[in-house]
Amino acid sequence: MNLASTFAVLRPDLGATPVAVTPTVYEELDRRFAGFKDHVLVSIFDFAADWPTWERHPAGDEIVCLLSGRATFLFEGSREQMELSEPGSFVIVPKGTWHTAKTTVPTRMLFVTPGEGTENKPC
């Protein structure tokens, strides 16, 4: 399996369930895993441009690890920025914090996300 095409869902009992990435994967996650309460999503995403949205995760902290490329994380309401420029560097986004990322190069990141109640809004 590959996390870019098959996400892993950690259940409350810490067992893992693979879930194929489809255009409706997020709706499927909510449906299959009871609104994603007490579940964690492990995924990989590729980006070549700035994220088009802000997001936040009210259920817990999110861990984002750079696998390749370069990204700058921004946190709404703060002048703080986190530069990820070396593979293996990571950021812990605090629970409930609106965040987005900027990049100008092809970038791949690993996400460990408490998915329940995740919100998005335009940048």
Side-chain angles (χ1 to χ4, degrees), residues 9-80:
V9 174
L10 296 177
R11 301 182 308 267
D13 68 1
L14 297 182
T17 302
V19 176
V21 176
T22 67
T24 60
V25 67
Y26 295 105
E27 293 85 2
E28 180 183 340
L29 291 172
D30 280 343
R31 184 177 36 72
R32 282 184 61 188
F33 300 99
F36 226 62
K37 181 174 175 47
D38 298 324
H39 289 73
V40 175
L41 181 66
V42 180
S43 58
I44 287 179
F45 286 98
D46 294 302
F47 306 92
D50 297 347
W51 292 4
T53 62
W54 291 88
E55 67 176 18
R56 71 176 169 182
H57 311 286
D61 296 349
E62 179 180 46
I63 300 168
V64 184
C65 180
L66 183 71
L67 300 177
S68 64
R70 181 178 59 250
T72 301
F73 269 76
L74 306 174
F75 306 95
E76 188 177 65
S78 171
R79 292 185 178 184
E80 180 184 359

